[in-house]
Amino acid sequence: MTLLASRDEADQDAPPARGRPDGPRWVRPSLAALLLATAVLYLWNLGESGWANAFYSAAAQAGSLSWKALFFGSSDAANAITVDKTPAALWVMSLSARLFGVNAWSVLVPQALMGVGSVALLFATVRRTSGPAAGLLAGTVLALTPAAALMFRFNNPDALLVLLLVAGAYCVVRALETASPRWLALAGVAVGFGFLAKMLQAFLVLPAFGLAYLIASPASVGKRLLHLLGAVGATLVSAGWYLAVVAWWPAADRPYIGGSQENSLWELAFGYNGFGRITGDEVGSVGGGGNGGWGGTGWDRLFGTEMAGGIAWLLPAAALALAAGLWFTRHAGRTDRGRAALILWGGWFLITAVVFSYMSGIIHAYYTIALAPAIAALVGIAGIQLWRARGNPAAAGMSSAGIGLTALTAYLLLSRQSDWLPGLAIAILVAGLLCAFLVFFAARLPDAARRLVAVGALVTVLAGTGAYTVATAATPHSGALPSAGPDTGRGMRMGGPGGLLGTSLPGENLAALLRQDAANYPWTAATVGSNNAAGYQLGGGAPVMAVGGFNGTDPSPTLEQFQEYVRSGQIHYFLGEGMMMRGETGSDAAERIAEWVQATYTPTTVDGVTVYDLSR
């Protein structure tokens, strides 16, 4: 698309050459303003979400008390079972909790800072191929994506995943400039550590990274293939070292691998949290599955009521930007950096969108944050380049179509919540159509009028997604399934039914009971399900065993193991009546344990919770 830029504007806003100064004087203050605004958006009133996802907060608490729990990502400091993810994101949260104490801010602030870092890295990446204006627009779009604001103010692994993938894209762009195997290997390292944050989802960007380098690197075919082979090796080493250590570690001396049926991290990474997400064959899952229980699949899934609010605002514009960019650069040289950037970001966008649209296994709306950097980059690159080429009727038509399409998308999305900011939808639609008309004729307007049209178009394009993002940031979120959007009068937006996907803290009497004599037991209590255990553990401040792991369907511990723990005085209390939900697959060990406790011990009720004293 750089082929369309006018000479004057291209000189003022060109990608930096090696060793070139930072460019126009407005770049640094503009970037500083963007990053400051992003930090305020992601940090303001952050503590209102409390423990956010208590499942991960409890694991961070455990990691702050035990180095073994930190390394393995255990749910509790006594190391009964791990969370059902590889633990890279927990390493960051646990270290923060060690430094600043276990509280909501120490758990959530690292994610907010990852958001600011992601915006900065996206700016730097886009700037190297398309200039600082495109970088600033891309960074702004990422910061104002509702799914991004949701996850960068939450403590799921997605924040670290996005930061590492954007870092990988930056390294690929650097590698393209000089055919550098070192930078390409660093891209592999970034993606490999992304695997340690959220496993196979990190690998979705690899085809795009590889294709961009294979096509556009200024080296011979043989060298390009050799460099890519080295990058694959770097990816496998940076992702695989942890799997190897866990596999070699004696199982009796480490926690059970949550989310697996065979106490295997390999099974977790490539089964339940891997290809099972594609096929729907996820042993131990409750609800959903390959029969469509996780929502209908298809090309329109990202525009459905569950996902659209988080990501769909600029999704059509990004698709249009990719098509326009590839068309206008069809005659560019093989090593053209502008087209290489389109291949990189476009491949990321298309592959991730297709997988999310058609996967049959577990999927949640907040996963769509993985699309946000690619959408932002495509919009930033195309928005600036098409504006520069406004004298070309085809470019002017594409700009006009993108603005009108975005305004229509915002109108349709906002119309679904007509009781929130009534009038905004029609205002954006009218303003967008007017701006689309004026942009088509912008080349004929006086300079002052043209600048006014540009500002109006930019504000209109960002109005819908920006308003929804601010509303998302202003709403506290908790539970396992947070969703983007405004507070509709229900207070803190929580996800999940009962104690399976939502968490409640114990009352004062129960918390005091759990703390009593806690030092004399490895686990002050046990209960079915990780979210139940997380609430009791955070409220009582002592380890609570999550029987059956996250879904209550892991075979950890077995009934015989649990009985031995009780006989040897390692568990003080059992809490609750047993299973909240039951899947069609997975172990029934947790159910059998709950039944044995109910048949063997006398229950009492404390703060509305059934308590069994296993020491009697």
Side-chain angles (χ1 to χ4, degrees):
M1 295 185 69
T2 52
L3 298 177
L4 295 175
S6 69
R7 181 176 301 275
D8 291 341
E9 289 176 307
D11 289 342
Q12 294 172 7
D13 188 34
R18 295 182 67 193
R20 174 177 171 164
D22 288 336
R25 284 181 289 182
W26 53 264
V27 175
R28 283 191 174 183
S30 299
L31 176 61
L34 171 61
L35 297 182
L36 178 61
T38 303
V40 171
L41 178 65
Y42 291 169
L43 287 167
W44 186 264
N45 219 21
L46 188 60
E48 288 298 305
S49 290
W51 295 116
N53 191 336
F55 174 57
Y56 293 117
S57 294
Q61 178 202 49
S64 73
L65 299 173
S66 163
W67 288 108
K68 179 183 283 190
L70 183 150
F71 181 77
F72 288 107
S74 299
S75 292
D76 62 273
N79 292 291
I81 192 170
T82 70
V83 301
D84 59 353
K85 299 288 187 297
T86 37
L90 290 174
W91 293 341
V92 179
M93 286 185 277
S94 297
L95 291 173
S96 176
R98 280 180 175 267
L99 290 172
F100 304 107
V102 181
N103 55 71
W105 284 92
S106 67
V107 169
L108 294 177
V109 166
Q111 277 64 240
L113 297 181
M114 290 174 195
V116 178
S118 297
V119 171
L121 271 174
L122 184 63
F123 162 81
T125 307
V126 173
R127 179 179 183 271
R128 297 195 74 88
T129 62
S130 307
L136 285 169
L137 180 54
T140 302
V141 171
L142 176 58
L144 293 180
T145 300
L150 177 67
M151 283 292 99
F152 288 133
R153 292 175 57 89
F154 209 67
N155 59 325
N156 280 19
D158 302 75
L160 180 60
L161 174 69
V162 168
L163 175 65
L164 290 169
L165 295 187
V166 176
Y170 175 82
C171 293
V172 172
V173 167
R174 293 297 301 268
L176 284 168
E177 294 173 358
T178 58
S180 168
R182 179 173 63 90
W183 277 108
L184 194 64
L186 287 174
V189 170
V191 175
F193 274 91
F195 174 89
L196 297 184
K198 214 175 177 194
M199 289 172 282
L200 286 189
Q201 185 181 334
F203 290 172
L204 291 179
V205 303
L206 287 178
F209 288 5
L211 185 62
Y213 192 82
L214 184 62
I215 290 175
S217 174
S220 66
V221 174
K223 286 187 176 180
R224 278 178 267 161
L225 292 173
L226 187 63
H227 295 172
L228 285 170
L229 184 61
V232 170
T235 303
L236 294 178
V237 170
S238 57
W241 71 269
Y242 185 78
L243 274 71
V245 169
V246 174
W248 290 334
W249 202 291
D253 191 40
R254 62 163 171 79
Y256 186 92
I257 303 301
S260 74
Q261 297 296 307
E262 301 292 337
N263 197 10
S264 166
L265 187 58
W266 181 272
E267 176 199 341
L268 175 67
F270 294 93
Y272 178 79
N273 276 333
F275 296 109
R277 298 290 171 117
I278 305 295
T279 64
D281 182 15
E282 298 167 292
V283 178
S285 173
V286 292
N291 61 358
W294 295 107
T297 60
W299 67 269
D300 59 341
R301 189 185 217 178
L302 297 175
F303 296 95
T305 55
E306 181 183 4
M307 294 187 176
I311 199 63
W313 304 88
L314 290 166
L315 198 153
L320 182 63
L322 176 60
L326 293 177
W327 172 258
F328 285 124
T329 59
R330 66 192 184 280
H331 298 307
R334 180 182 66 81
T335 60
D336 181 76
R337 286 193 290 162
R339 185 174 61 187
L342 291 168
I343 294 171
L344 188 156
W345 297 112
W348 177 335
F349 168 66
L350 291 176
I351 293 170
T352 305
V354 168
V355 170
F356 284 176
S357 296
Y358 289 95
M359 58 189 284
S360 298
I362 297 173
I363 185 170
H364 303 307
Y366 63 79
Y367 288 9
T368 56
I369 186 180
L371 283 165
I375 290 174
L378 291 170
V379 170
I381 293 169
I384 297 302
Q385 297 293 353
L386 289 175
W387 176 252
R388 290 181 191 153
R390 56 189 173 271
N392 182 312
M398 286 291 186
S399 293
S400 180
I403 294 168
L405 189 59
T406 300
L408 178 61
T409 303
Y411 172 78
L412 294 175
L413 294 180
L414 290 169
S415 296
R416 295 178 179 178
Q417 290 187 298
S418 56
D419 57 338
W420 179 70
L421 295 183
L424 180 60
I426 191 64
I428 291 177
L429 180 62
V430 172
L433 296 178
L434 177 60
C435 288
F437 174 80
L438 293 174
V439 163
F440 187 77
F441 298 101
R444 307 177 188 178
L445 298 176
D447 288 347
R450 189 164 58 242
R451 293 190 186 96
L452 187 62
V453 168
V455 172
L458 182 61
V459 170
T460 301
V461 164
L462 297 177
T465 184
Y468 217 73
T469 297
V470 172
T472 299
T475 303
H477 294 83
S478 71
L481 303 180
S483 58
D487 183 354
T488 56
R490 294 174 296 172
M492 182 177 289
R493 297 190 65 163
M494 301 181 66
L500 179 68
L501 298 176
T503 302
S504 58
L505 298 178
E508 292 184 5
N509 294 326
L510 181 56
L513 184 67
L514 294 176
R515 287 191 290 267
Q516 180 181 340
D517 295 331
N520 297 326
Y521 298 87
W523 295 278
T524 188
T527 191
V528 174
S530 294
N531 273 301
N532 286 325
Y536 298 133
Q537 180 170 297
L538 290 168
V544 175
M545 178 185 290
V547 176
F550 187 86
N551 293 319
T553 55
D554 297 345
S556 174
T558 64
L559 174 59
E560 293 73 18
Q561 289 171 331
F562 187 85
Q563 290 171 334
E564 178 57 33
Y565 288 141
V566 173
R567 279 194 293 268
S568 57
Q570 297 188 63
I571 307 173
H572 197 171
Y573 301 105
F574 187 88
L575 307 176
E577 294 290 352
M579 298 292 289
M580 295 298 300
M581 293 179 67
R582 182 75 177 92
E584 296 179 357
T585 60
S587 171
D588 66 348
E591 196 168 28
R592 295 174 62 202
I593 289 169
E595 291 172 352
W596 175 76
V597 170
Q598 292 173 35
T600 308
Y601 294 90
T602 302
T604 59
T605 301
V606 181
D607 292 335
V609 176
T610 303
V611 178
Y612 299 88
D613 188 343
L614 305 183
S615 67
R616 296 183 178 180

